Every structure is written in C-alpha cells, then in structure tokens.
Amino acid sequence: MSDDEFRAALSRLAAGVVLITAHDPEDGPRGEDVGMTATAFLSVSLDPPLVMVSVRNDSRMDDLLELQPLWAVSVLSGHQRQIAGRFAMKGRISDRLLFEDIPCVRGEVSGAPLIGGALATLECRTEQRVVAGDHTLVIARVLATSAPAEEDGPLTYFRGKYRQLD
C-alpha cells in the first residue's frame, strides 16, 4: 500500500474540525498564543472526561504541549472555514498575526484563546502523551466546557475539503 492509497482511503472518513490553542508564556515579553487546526480529535472517556488530539511530531504545537499542560479546543462551526484554513497553512505567518482579527476570549482555566462563534469550547489539561508513528496522541482531562446556543452546523473535512453540514 502506498502513502497515496492510504490517504485516499482515509479521506472518505468525514471528520469534525477543531482549533487547538495554547498560550506559550515563554515566547516574548507577554507570551504568544499558538493555534493548530485538527481533524484527529475525539472523546475518549466520560468518567473521567477525557479527549484526545493527534499532533505531528516536532511541530510547534507538539513542542508547546510537551511543556504547557493547559490547552483548549474550539469546535468550529460551518461558517468558520477561513479560521480552519488559516491555522492549517504550511509555511504560515506568525501565530500572533493569525489571531489578530479573530474574535476570541481567554479561557479562565487554560489561559488559551477560545474562538468566538465556535459550537463548543473545551479547556483541557494533558494527562498522557503517546508517540504513534509520526504523530503524538495527546490525551487530556476536560476541565471546563461551554456550548453556546449556536444555530450553525459543524465544519467537517471530507475528501480533502472543508464542508458545511446543514
């Protein structure tokens, strides 16, 4: 099986799209917010409340989550495709500029940005990291959640494209 065959098979699995965020207090005088679009995010356990995200090894987010145990998840709505694309770009500009015009609030528990208009937000604390091939699975306890009364549907990723469910 080739890499392309593997990707083609898995592209037929629809996935929800989230923005993973964390605050790096070590970067600059006031620190810097870091964000990453993810489709490999899921609920692991109800008791205790655990979630998992897969991050590419040696990426900025992987490096930060190794040092910073507190982070957040914003479940993106169908109208937030631009945000997903912005934080998924390769060779992108600094994260500080990426957050510049996006409405967000700082999570009370994590200190990480929570995206305005998201379908839900979760604030998390890493409990375990498992290296799996070229990614690391970050398992975290959910410390706080919010699910505003948004009428929009979720943003999904299917066959290599962002899609909106009605």
Side-chain angles (χ1 to χ4, degrees), residues 74-149:
S74 295
V75 179
L76 298 181
S77 77
H79 289 96
Q80 294 178 313
R81 181 182 305 204
Q82 180 182 6
I83 293 171
R86 180 185 289 195
F87 285 90
M89 290 188 300
K90 291 185 185 346
R92 62 190 200 206
I93 58 175
S94 81
D95 284 67
R96 181 172 282 119
L97 294 174
L98 293 176
F99 279 105
E100 201 167 74
D101 62 345
I102 295 175
C104 56
V105 297
R106 194 153 304 282
E108 290 182 25
V109 176
S110 66
L114 304 172
I115 304 303
L119 296 180
T121 60
L122 301 91
E123 293 186 79
C124 306
R125 182 184 65 236
T126 299
E127 297 224 333
Q128 187 176 1
R129 293 171 52 86
V130 179
V131 176
D134 59 2
H135 279 65
T136 296
L137 308 178
V138 182
I139 301 167
R141 181 179 296 258
V142 178
L143 305 173
T145 63
S146 173

